[in-house]
Amino acid sequence: MIPPPPITIKDIARQFNCSPSTVSRALNDHYTISEDTRRSIQQYAQQAGYQRNLVSLSLLNKLSGTLGIIVPTISDSYESSVIEGLHTALRPMGYSLTICVTGESRALEAEYVLRLLANRVEGIFLSVAQETYDSGHYDHLAMVTQRQLPLVLIDRDYASLPVSRVTADDYHGAWAVVEHLIQVGCRRIAHLRGPAGLTVSEQRFAGYIDCLTQHGLPICDELILPTNFKIDSAVLPTQQLLNLPTRPDAIFGVNDQVAIGAMRVLRERGLRIPDDVAVAGFDDSPTAAYTCPSLTTVARSGQKLSAEAARLFLQHKQTPGHTPIESVVLPAQLIVRESSQRVG
Amino acid sequence: MIPPPPITIKDIARQFNCSPSTVSRALNDHYTISEDTRRSIQQYAQQAGYQRNLVSLSLLNKLSGTLGIIVPTISDSYESSVIEGLHTALRPMGYSLTICVTGESRALEAEYVLRLLANRVEGIFLSVAQETYDSGHYDHLAMVTQRQLPLVLIDRDYASLPVSRVTADDYHGAWAVVEHLIQVGCRRIAHLRGPAGLTVSEQRFAGYIDCLTQHGLPICDELILPTNFKIDSAVLPTQQLLNLPTRPDAIFGVNDQVAIGAMRVLRERGLRIPDDVAVAGFDDSPTAAYTCPSLTTVARSGQKLSAEAARLFLQHKQTPGHTPIESVVLPAQLIVRESSQRVG
């Protein structure tokens, strides 16, 4: 389909009095070649009608310069900040990123892993799909480690897989925010939880339960209602909470979106935040500081997580097969704002 | 590194009394094979120690079942809803998606196009990087069309490229929201604009300018200040607007994030929204209905855009080389909420 190249990389190298590998790197926008040189060589190559044979290029190059990122979703600001962070850390080293979204499907995760291997990625960052997690089967991931290809788990732990991982401490983050609500005087703390079965929901839920128990407060089933992480999924459960004979004096949302949805319902009912009902979320999304009142939340840094993940990948590249397995747990940080600052 | 396969696809096919291509599809989780059959074949293949040679697989398969999506960013909710929409529309047909983020870089966009071609994608959805747009050079895109590979432009138009495209009508959306602000009695309408040079900023800015002019209102330079689309970038310019000898009576933010940032500053100054200053945004992000007051905005549907883009791709697949070029412009819809409902 593509005509045979009229001139070769060697011809261009002769023209510029440099090595063919310099020409190749210049044509590939490699960071080691100066902007000026790249431009001159690219311009000449274009004028001379040089055409790369892409398929054979991908076959001959042992190193593709591509990294795969497999995540369950890209629809929240946390996931995108992780991906942006990986890009920022690894792009200057000449890597490009291929992003695959599984929607929590194990079959799709396996398909993407195979595809990335076939496309000769140099490493994979993976936030394990819930289905994989639940199934306990990870042959598709074992295949990656068998090939000595760097695999770094991000965001979600998967204990049975012997690879390095970076996660945020959801459990202690939830604990900290619930303890804070208790300290400002709340006793009936409701939890708008995430979908059952998802690790992130379960960890935050467990932190909520254990903190209440630790402080001798009862667990009330009627104060625990499910959401799907989205802002509008908070509306009905919040109304339900406010219709209870004794309403809660605090609402802890599984994430900021849910907390913001709850705040809207509270205001519509004429309730004061935080005096009648205190509110807290999780994630420290960009909006949290700008709601009215501003939202108490827990920060988990996508930037820090991606920086650690990039470090683990590079470490693996430097000493393939001899890299110790590291498990990095990033602390989650309580951020107190107006929505929970009540006077005891 | 991988041992030679002890058994072949043909062996497995014989065992199940089916064709080798059925086995191949079952091993690849292809949607045409029932869940039960897939599971039995995969289980058997695993027990019998069958191992695919992935690299040769990618070479032999003419159709990869993969589609590429190249976008400048995934960090706003609109982009993610477009990607989710493409996934929803095309996944049931067996396609998987590879997402590439350019950060507005032309070099990176070109690199991703080459990589996707080398990896034999069956089509590319592209939101053109600003650098490509500005440069006017699109050899890397011409290469896609030369190969008769479906290329669909999404979100951003690129007039000089003869391919189908779906875009939202930013210009008329901005016009509609500014006209609405005029109708509720605003006369000094400020605009917190997006970064200069970006199409989306320029289109909304042009709609703002032309609408004011059409209604005989003056263009005041001191009422037009830049932001970077992010919520905190609205703070300083909004303070600057409120420090003017005559403050604006409305603020139109280039997107909802910027409008929400402006609302926070207005409240901190003790100004009433909308009575002292009306506020409007753009995008109808999930948060817009939940701010206090709720935010007047313009909806552009990522779901509709992706549905149209998927339709154009499938049309091209059905009649390769004979597909008429379509340019779909989706209307933007004004959504009036509390932040602009003042009594004239």
Side-chain angles (χ1 to χ4, degrees):
Chain A
M1 221 178 228
I2 299 169
I7 67 157
T8 68
I9 283 191
K10 281 184 187 165
D11 300 328
I12 304 174
R14 214 171 295 125
Q15 180 72 23
F16 282 86
N17 204 13
C18 66
S19 74
S21 73
T22 301
V23 173
S24 167
R25 280 201 290 265
L27 294 174
N28 283 293
D29 281 314
H30 197 273
Y31 72 106
T32 52
I33 311 296
S34 80
E35 182 63 28
D36 279 0
T37 311
R38 267 188 267 173
R39 198 167 297 158
S40 323
I41 292 183
Q42 287 178 8
Q43 217 156 26
Y44 175 81
Q46 201 190 346
Q47 278 157 11
Y50 173 73
Q51 174 116 46
R52 279 183 284 184
N53 183 331
L54 291 167
V55 175
S56 70
L57 195 78
S58 120
L59 285 174
L60 295 172
N61 281 351
K62 284 243 164 180
L63 300 176
S64 68
T66 307
L67 302 173
I69 305 181
I70 307 178
V71 287
T73 170
I74 51 165
S75 69
D76 73 47
S77 59
Y78 181 71
E79 302 291 345
S80 0
S81 77
V82 169
I83 293 170
E84 274 184 1
L86 286 172
H87 182 91
T88 308
L90 296 166
R91 181 66 200 155
M93 292 156 166
Y95 290 108
S96 60
L97 306 178
T98 288
I99 304 155
C100 308
V101 181
T102 63
E104 311 290 0
S105 151
R106 182 178 177 278
L108 201 44
E109 180 177 284
E111 180 177 331
Y112 281 128
V113 167
L114 294 182
R115 182 96 54 208
L116 291 171
L117 291 179
N119 292 343
R120 295 165 169 267
V121 294
E122 294 188 45
I124 294 178
F125 298 92
L126 168 71
S127 179
V128 180
Q130 194 62 37
E131 276 184 24
T132 305
Y133 203 92
D134 295 341
S135 74
H137 290 298
Y138 53 89
D139 347 351
H140 57 299
L141 303 179
M143 204 187 304
V144 181
T145 52
Q146 273 162 23
R147 292 180 174 219
Q148 307 271 359
L149 201 71
L151 172 64
V152 178
L153 298 188
I154 50 176
D155 204 18
R156 293 180 181 181
D157 204 353
Y158 195 39
S160 35
L161 202 65
V163 299
S164 290
R165 77 260 342 262
V166 199
T167 53
D169 193 345
D170 286 306
Y171 175 82
H172 287 102
W175 179 295
V177 78
V178 172
E179 188 158 62
H180 159 72
L181 291 170
I182 295 170
Q183 278 162 359
V184 297
C186 302
R187 288 298 171 266
R188 276 178 68 75
I189 302 170
H191 181 41
L192 297 178
R193 55 167 295 168
L198 276 180
T199 317
V200 59
S201 312
E202 299 300 346
Q203 289 293 310
R204 293 175 192 179
F205 180 60
Y208 161 81
I209 294 287
D210 291 355
C211 183
L212 289 183
T213 308
Q214 174 79 19
H215 283 81
L217 291 174
I219 310 297
C220 306
D221 285 345
E222 78 267 23
L223 295 181
I224 301 164
L225 293 172
T227 70
N228 68 3
F229 294 131
K230 298 203 168 153
I231 197 164
D232 48 4
S233 74
V235 173
L236 287 179
T238 306
Q239 287 168 346
Q240 205 173 323
L241 288 173
L242 299 181
N243 292 339
L244 288 173
T246 316
R247 66 155 192 259
D249 54 12
I251 297 177
F252 164 40
V254 67
N255 65 5
D256 289 348
Q257 292 296 298
V258 162
I260 292 169
M263 287 214 286
R264 172 86 201 176
V265 176
L266 291 171
R267 276 191 306 260
E268 279 169 359
R269 293 281 183 111
L271 293 166
R272 291 165 307 159
I273 308 167
D275 299 320
D276 296 324
V277 183
V279 178
F282 206 110
D283 280 351
D284 195 27
S285 59
T287 324
Y290 289 87
T291 54
C292 180
S294 59
L295 182 64
T296 291
T297 185
V298 178
R300 45 173 190 159
S301 165
Q303 300 258 311
K304 265 188 217 153
L305 187 134
S306 52
E308 280 297 305
R311 181 183 66 75
L312 292 172
F313 161 74
L314 293 170
Q315 195 167 295
H316 192 302
K317 285 300 277 188
Q318 278 159 9
T319 53
H322 305 285
T323 324
I325 290 168
E326 270 190 65
S327 182
V328 180
V329 180
L330 296 171
Q333 191 198 347
L334 175 67
I335 296 181
V336 175
R337 296 204 182 95
E338 296 160 357
S339 69
S340 69
Q341 281 178 328
R342 42 196 248 172
V343 215
Chain B
M1 222 184 251
I2 299 169
I7 68 156
T8 68
I9 283 191
K10 280 187 188 163
D11 300 327
I12 303 174
R14 214 170 296 125
Q15 178 74 22
F16 282 85
N17 204 13
C18 66
S19 72
S21 73
T22 300
V23 174
S24 167
R25 280 200 291 262
L27 294 175
N28 282 293
D29 280 315
H30 197 273
Y31 73 104
T32 51
I33 311 296
S34 80
E35 182 64 27
D36 281 357
T37 311
R38 268 187 267 172
R39 199 166 296 159
S40 324
I41 292 183
Q42 288 178 8
Q43 219 156 25
Y44 176 82
Q46 202 189 344
Q47 280 157 8
Y50 173 74
Q51 176 119 46
R52 280 182 283 186
N53 183 333
L54 291 165
V55 175
S56 69
L57 194 77
S58 123
L59 284 173
L60 295 173
N61 281 350
K62 283 242 165 182
L63 299 175
S64 68
T66 307
L67 303 173
I69 305 180
I70 307 178
V71 287
T73 172
I74 52 165
S75 69
D76 73 46
S77 59
Y78 181 71
E79 303 292 344
S80 1
S81 77
V82 169
I83 293 170
E84 274 184 0
L86 286 172
H87 182 90
T88 307
L90 296 166
R91 181 65 201 156
M93 291 155 167
Y95 290 108
S96 61
L97 305 179
T98 288
I99 304 154
C100 308
V101 182
T102 63
E104 311 290 1
S105 150
R106 181 179 178 279
L108 201 45
E109 181 177 285
E111 180 177 330
Y112 281 128
V113 167
L114 294 182
R115 181 96 53 207
L116 291 172
L117 291 179
N119 292 343
R120 296 163 169 265
V121 295
E122 293 189 45
I124 295 178
F125 298 92
L126 169 70
S127 180
V128 180
Q130 193 63 36
E131 274 184 27
T132 305
Y133 203 92
D134 294 342
S135 75
H137 291 298
Y138 53 90
D139 347 351
H140 58 298
L141 303 179
M143 204 188 302
V144 181
T145 52
Q146 273 161 23
R147 291 180 175 219
Q148 308 272 0
L149 200 72
L151 172 64
V152 179
L153 299 187
I154 50 176
D155 203 20
R156 293 180 181 180
D157 204 353
Y158 195 38
S160 35
L161 202 65
V163 299
S164 290
R165 78 260 341 261
V166 199
T167 53
D169 193 345
D170 286 306
Y171 175 83
H172 287 104
W175 179 295
V177 77
V178 173
E179 189 158 63
H180 159 72
L181 291 170
I182 295 169
Q183 279 162 358
V184 297
C186 302
R187 288 298 171 266
R188 275 178 68 73
I189 302 170
H191 180 41
L192 296 178
R193 55 167 294 171
L198 276 180
T199 318
V200 59
S201 313
E202 299 299 347
Q203 289 294 309
R204 293 175 193 179
F205 180 59
Y208 161 81
I209 294 286
D210 291 356
C211 182
L212 289 183
T213 309
Q214 174 79 18
H215 284 81
L217 291 173
I219 310 297
C220 307
D221 285 344
E222 78 267 23
L223 294 181
I224 300 164
L225 293 171
T227 70
N228 68 4
F229 293 133
K230 297 202 170 155
I231 197 165
D232 49 4
S233 73
V235 173
L236 286 180
T238 306
Q239 288 168 345
Q240 204 172 323
L241 289 173
L242 299 181
N243 292 339
L244 288 173
T246 316
R247 66 155 193 259
D249 53 14
I251 298 177
F252 164 40
V254 66
N255 65 5
D256 290 346
Q257 292 297 298
V258 162
I260 291 169
M263 287 213 286
R264 171 89 202 176
V265 176
L266 292 171
R267 275 191 308 259
E268 279 168 359
R269 293 279 185 113
L271 293 166
R272 291 165 306 160
I273 307 167
D275 299 319
D276 295 325
V277 183
V279 178
F282 206 111
D283 280 350
D284 195 26
S285 59
T287 324
Y290 289 87
T291 55
C292 179
S294 59
L295 184 63
T296 291
T297 185
V298 178
R300 45 173 190 158
S301 165
Q303 300 258 312
K304 264 189 216 151
L305 187 134
S306 52
E308 280 298 304
R311 181 183 65 77
L312 292 172
F313 161 73
L314 293 169
Q315 194 168 296
H316 192 301
K317 285 299 279 187
Q318 277 159 10
T319 53
H322 305 285
T323 323
I325 290 168
E326 270 189 65
S327 182
V328 180
V329 181
L330 296 172
Q333 190 198 347
L334 175 67
I335 295 182
V336 175
R337 296 205 183 95
E338 296 160 357
S339 68
S340 70
Q341 282 177 327
R342 41 197 246 171
V343 216

